[in-house]
């Protein structure tokens, strides 16, 4: 990629979040992640090009020097900052505008700094052979996977119902989403395959901003405003079917839609429980018992047939959960420490640098949070270490996982799709995929964002106490008998 010869026609809109907009190259496996600003600042960018460059460099440093050490290097692609021609960025912004979802257009793409983060395109991984079936990539934003146990938690409900499930009520009440997602992160992070299956099924049913599927680099399934949901599910089945034409669920050589989805979820669960890449071999070294249940989850505990399995310690979910759990005090216990630091900075503004409040994100920053004493000695250093831990945990609560599934074992590259189908059909074995697992969106959360966290926490809990606790638990059909091993994953699909 030659930065001085950039052509906007080589790039297409790929996706966006709250802070950045991502475009992908039409041929190379590369994306550019550009910053966004509130639309009202569009004429007047909030930072200079130098500041934008430093902000993106600090994202790279935070990811490569802090998060990568906590989450495991094998999952992380930190990328590099690039300087782009301003005319290219301006044209690109015009080119992608019509593809942007309306609800994200309260922010505009930064066209002034010319800076962007260049990353590998995790939805069209390099291990894909262009002549073969395109990879399926599944993006999950799992959110917080544990219930707080801090003594500072003032509302009992927070120790029983997870943040995500409570937040759903708040989001629906405030019009962010039309209906609640019944996904519960505690089920996904449980390590129990039945619970994980159940969680993913609900991500598929109501993806919101927590679930997307890409095929060959193109998004084929995500939350679509105002669309006909059944159409989306049917079109998802249409895409998935060729990947799951075989396996245990074949009935007279016809694979039902339910079986396709069950196989798909099973492959995804295996990838999430793996050590990060490979062919789904036996998982060993499981750490911990399955963690707690959320009272709002619809998963019926009685139906666990294989006990609590816990997460394998080298799995992506385990690494994310361990990092999230650096939030030991909960926002309610953390906020007074934040105030201690804030007061100290008001009294001694120059301390901001020594305490690395805004970075640099390096080994020293990592050590500050790793060597935090267990007990509060009243010092500002203790408070800063806890704040750093909390911010790192926040990043882990907001990151996404990308699982890339490439059909067929690598050693049988010469086989075409039909031959592979016949071989798998005859052997009736479960689908074989090579896969890789990555973590994305590992940006540092700002120090000044902590008071907002406290306010949001209070609003979510208060909204849930008013509306959620009284809401009906579910509108799902009654569960099938326990013997129907595969049927507990029934999706509300329309026939195709
Ligand atoms: O606060 P939360 O839990 O709602 O998380 C925010 C996310 O909302 P979600 O609940 O996942 O829909 C929010 O995502 P959406 O914009 O809702 O897609 C952002 O990820 C936000 O992070 P940042 O401010 O852009 O760095 C996230 O804010 P942080 O709290 O991580 O700063
Ligand atoms: N390296 C990558 N390869 C492929 N797709 C990517 C990559 N990075 C980001 N994306 C896509 O772009 C989307 C937006 O990126 P990202 O989540 O980093 O944005 P964000 O604004 O930081 O999100 P948030 O709302 O969480 O703050 C992602 O959901 C993902 O689909």
């Amino acid at each position: 990629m030659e930065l001085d010869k950039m052509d906007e026609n080589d790039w297409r809109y790929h996706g966006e979040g709250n802070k950045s907009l991502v475009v992908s190259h039409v041929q190379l496996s590369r994306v550019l992640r550009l910053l966004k600003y509130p639309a009202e600042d569009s004429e007047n960018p909030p930072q200079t090009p130098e500041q934008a460059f430093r902000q993106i460099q600090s994202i790279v440093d935070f990811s490569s020097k802090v998060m990568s050490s906590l989450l495991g290097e094998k999952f992380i692609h930190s990328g590099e900052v690039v300087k782009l021609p301003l005319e290219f960025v301006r044209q690109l912004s015009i080119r992608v505008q019509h593809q942007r979802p309306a609800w994200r257009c309260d922010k505009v793409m930064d066209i002034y700094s010319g800076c962007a983060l260049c990353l590998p395109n995790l939805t069209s991984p390099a291990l894909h052979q262009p002549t073969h079936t395109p990879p399926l990539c599944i993006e999950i934003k799992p959110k917080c996977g544990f219930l707080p146990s801090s003594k500072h938690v003032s509302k009992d409900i927070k120790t029983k119902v997870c943040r995500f499930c409570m937040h759903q009520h708040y989001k629906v009440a405030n019009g962010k989403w039309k209906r609640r997602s019944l996904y519960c992160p505690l089920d996904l992070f449980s390590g129990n395959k039945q619970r994980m299956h159940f969680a993913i099924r609900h991500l598929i049913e109501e993806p919101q901003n927590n679930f997307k599927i890409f095929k060959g680099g193109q998004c084929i399934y995500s939350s679509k405003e105002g669309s006909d949901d059944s159409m989306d599910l049917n079109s998802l089945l249409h895409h998935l079917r060729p990947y799951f034409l075989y396996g245990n669920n074949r009935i007279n050589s016809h694979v039902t839609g339910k079986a396709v989805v069950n196989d798909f979820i099973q492959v995804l669960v295996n990838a999430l429980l793996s050590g990060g890449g490979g062919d789904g071999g036996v998982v060993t070294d499981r750490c911990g018992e399955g963690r707690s249940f959320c009272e709002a989850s619809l998963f019926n505990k009685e139906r666990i047939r294989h006990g609590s399995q816990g997460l394998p310690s080298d799995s992506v979910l385990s690494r994310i959960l361990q990092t999230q759990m650096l939030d030991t005090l909960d926002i309610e216990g953390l906020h007074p420490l934040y105030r201690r630091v804030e007061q100290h900075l008001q009294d001694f503004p120059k301390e901001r640098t020594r305490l690395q409040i805004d970075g640099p994100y390096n080994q020293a920053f990592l050590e500050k949070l790793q060597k935090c004493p267990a007990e509060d000695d009243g010092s500002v250093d203790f408070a800063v270490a806890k704040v750093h831990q909390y911010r790192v945990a926040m990043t882990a609560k907001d990151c996404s996982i990308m699982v890339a599934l490439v059909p067929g074992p690598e050693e049988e590259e010469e086989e075409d799709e039909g031959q592979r189908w016949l071989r798998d059909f005859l052997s009736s074995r479960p689908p074989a995929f090579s896969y890789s697992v990555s973590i994305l969106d590992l940006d540092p959360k700002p120090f000044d964002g902590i008071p907002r966290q406290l306010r949001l926490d209070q609003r979510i809990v208060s909204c849930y106490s008013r509306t959620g606790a009284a809401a009906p638990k579910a509108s799902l059909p009654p569960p099938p008998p326990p013997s129907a091993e595969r049927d507990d994953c029934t999706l509300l699909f329309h026939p195709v």
Side-chain angles (χ1 to χ4, degrees):
M1 199 171 76
E2 292 179 62
L3 294 174
D4 53 341
K5 293 194 191 133
M6 300 289 280
D7 180 347
E8 67 278 3
N9 297 307
D10 291 338
W11 298 85
R12 64 176 170 222
Y13 178 81
H14 184 73
E16 66 189 284
N18 182 37
K19 282 187 319 290
S20 42
L21 186 148
V22 176
V23 292
S24 56
H25 196 275
V26 292
Q27 278 165 342
L28 309 172
S29 180
R30 281 268 170 273
V31 299
L32 292 173
R33 187 171 180 252
L34 297 118
L35 294 175
K36 298 199 307 187
Y37 300 132
E40 57 269 24
D41 295 341
S42 60
E43 301 290 298
N44 190 14
Q47 51 185 0
T48 63
E50 292 70 31
Q51 286 168 329
F53 188 94
R54 279 200 296 276
Q55 185 188 341
I56 301 176
Q57 186 59 53
S58 80
I59 291 174
V60 174
D61 292 343
F62 191 71
S63 168
S64 62
K65 300 186 179 141
V66 179
M67 297 310 290
S68 138
S69 164
L70 298 164
L71 296 169
E73 276 175 32
K74 64 185 171 189
F75 298 121
I76 314 289
H77 308 266
S78 302
E80 55 173 347
V81 196
V82 289
K83 284 285 275 175
L84 304 163
L86 285 181
E87 185 53 19
F88 162 76
V89 181
R90 219 171 58 81
Q91 293 300 332
L92 192 61
S93 147
I94 297 168
R95 187 175 156 78
V96 300
Q97 185 57 33
H98 70 283
Q99 282 168 284
R100 300 186 56 204
W103 70 286
R104 289 290 190 193
C105 289
D106 56 333
K107 293 201 174 155
V108 292
M109 189 180 119
D110 164 27
I111 53 166
Y112 295 105
S113 75
C115 300
L117 178 58
C118 182
L119 292 154
N121 186 343
L122 299 170
T123 66
S124 61
L127 69 157
H128 163 226
Q129 302 286 319
T131 51
H132 288 174
T133 321
L136 280 178
C137 294
I138 299 94
E139 181 179 341
I140 299 177
K141 187 181 192 183
K143 302 298 288 188
C144 182
F146 69 97
L147 292 168
S149 54
S150 159
K151 63 176 189 222
H152 302 282
V153 168
S154 64
K155 298 278 187 290
D156 201 32
I157 193 72
K158 282 173 65 177
T159 64
K160 294 180 177 155
V161 176
C162 83
R163 154 73 175 245
F164 181 91
C165 290
M166 283 200 277
H167 203 170
Q168 282 297 310
H169 289 265
Y170 183 74
K171 286 180 179 179
V172 171
N174 286 282
K176 180 160 181 177
W177 299 110
K178 288 197 186 88
R179 54 180 192 168
R180 265 189 298 142
S181 159
L182 300 178
Y183 159 71
C184 174
L186 268 63
D187 288 328
L188 187 74
F189 281 100
S190 68
N192 177 286
K193 287 192 177 182
Q194 285 169 275
R195 288 178 70 187
M196 292 175 72
H197 203 117
F198 189 81
I200 294 170
R201 170 192 143 182
H202 286 304
L203 284 173
I204 298 174
E205 281 186 357
E206 190 62 42
Q208 295 191 355
N209 60 347
N210 304 99
F211 191 77
K212 288 181 198 163
I213 305 177
F214 298 82
K215 184 172 109 180
Q218 305 251 31
C219 186
I220 56 159
Y221 192 71
S222 65
S223 168
K224 296 263 186 319
E225 273 173 307
S227 73
D228 176 348
D229 286 348
S230 66
M231 273 274 295
D232 275 349
L233 287 168
N234 283 333
S235 102
L236 172 63
L237 271 180
H238 175 76
H239 283 293
L240 292 183
R241 192 175 286 281
Y243 293 81
F244 300 92
L245 280 175
Y246 37 80
N248 303 324
N249 301 296
R250 207 177 51 231
I251 302 167
N252 296 329
S253 78
H254 173 70
V255 186
T256 62
K258 195 169 76 178
V260 167
V261 175
N262 279 342
D263 275 358
F264 166 69
I265 298 178
Q266 190 182 331
V267 169
L268 184 52
V269 165
N270 287 343
L272 289 169
L273 290 175
S274 76
D279 57 5
V282 179
V283 177
T284 53
D285 189 25
R286 290 186 177 278
C287 78
E289 278 297 291
R291 284 164 189 86
S292 48
F293 278 88
C294 164
E295 284 188 5
S297 165
L298 296 174
F299 187 84
N300 180 352
K301 288 184 218 173
E302 314 291 308
R303 298 179 61 204
I304 292 190
R305 286 184 284 278
H306 308 296
S308 286
Q309 291 152 318
L311 286 169
S313 58
D314 59 348
S315 63
V316 69
L317 289 174
S318 172
R319 299 299 291 258
I320 292 177
L321 185 61
Q322 294 308 317
T323 310
Q324 292 182 349
M325 290 172 96
L326 284 172
D327 167 15
T328 53
L329 300 174
D330 187 72
I331 185 63
E332 294 186 64
L334 193 274
H335 191 255
L337 297 176
Y338 164 83
R339 295 295 303 274
R340 188 189 297 170
V341 179
E342 197 190 30
Q343 184 61 54
H344 182 81
L345 294 177
Q346 271 166 19
D347 298 343
F348 308 99
K350 288 189 181 151
E351 280 278 276
R352 207 172 171 99
T353 309
R354 180 186 73 84
L355 297 170
Q356 296 185 265
I357 299 297
D358 314 299
Y361 301 116
N362 52 17
Q363 185 62 26
F365 183 93
L366 183 63
E367 282 170 16
K368 273 197 178 84
L369 70 94
Q370 283 176 327
K371 293 187 179 152
C372 175
E375 293 300 321
D376 185 0
D377 55 5
S379 68
V380 74
D381 290 271
F382 173 83
V384 165
K386 289 313 279 184
V387 167
H388 287 348
Q389 283 185 347
Y390 179 80
R391 289 171 58 199
V392 160
M394 289 281 301
T395 296
K397 290 179 193 182
D398 198 42
C399 69
S400 296
I401 302 168
M402 189 75 82
V403 177
L405 303 173
V406 182
E410 274 162 4
E411 64 273 15
E412 293 175 74
E413 272 170 7
E414 294 311 312
E415 212 172 31
D416 70 23
E417 216 178 304
Q419 288 167 319
R420 187 166 56 245
W421 181 86
L422 186 63
R423 172 172 47 77
D424 288 321
F425 180 89
L426 293 173
S427 63
S428 197
R429 68 183 193 183
F433 287 91
S434 301
Y435 50 77
S436 65
V437 182
S438 314
I439 306 177
L440 49 140
D441 194 5
L442 293 173
D443 299 8
K445 298 290 179 181
F447 172 75
D448 303 332
I450 288 173
R452 186 193 76 85
Q453 285 301 325
L454 184 67
R455 285 194 300 277
L456 181 60
D457 185 71
Q458 290 162 343
R459 287 186 192 137
I460 289 171
V461 174
S462 129
C463 173
Y464 188 78
S465 309
R466 272 183 281 115
T467 63
K473 254 203 138 187
S475 54
L476 290 181
S483 58
E485 175 73 37
R486 314 282 297 187
D487 279 352
D488 55 357
C489 309
T490 313
L491 267 165
L492 304 176
F493 281 138
H494 298 244
V496 277

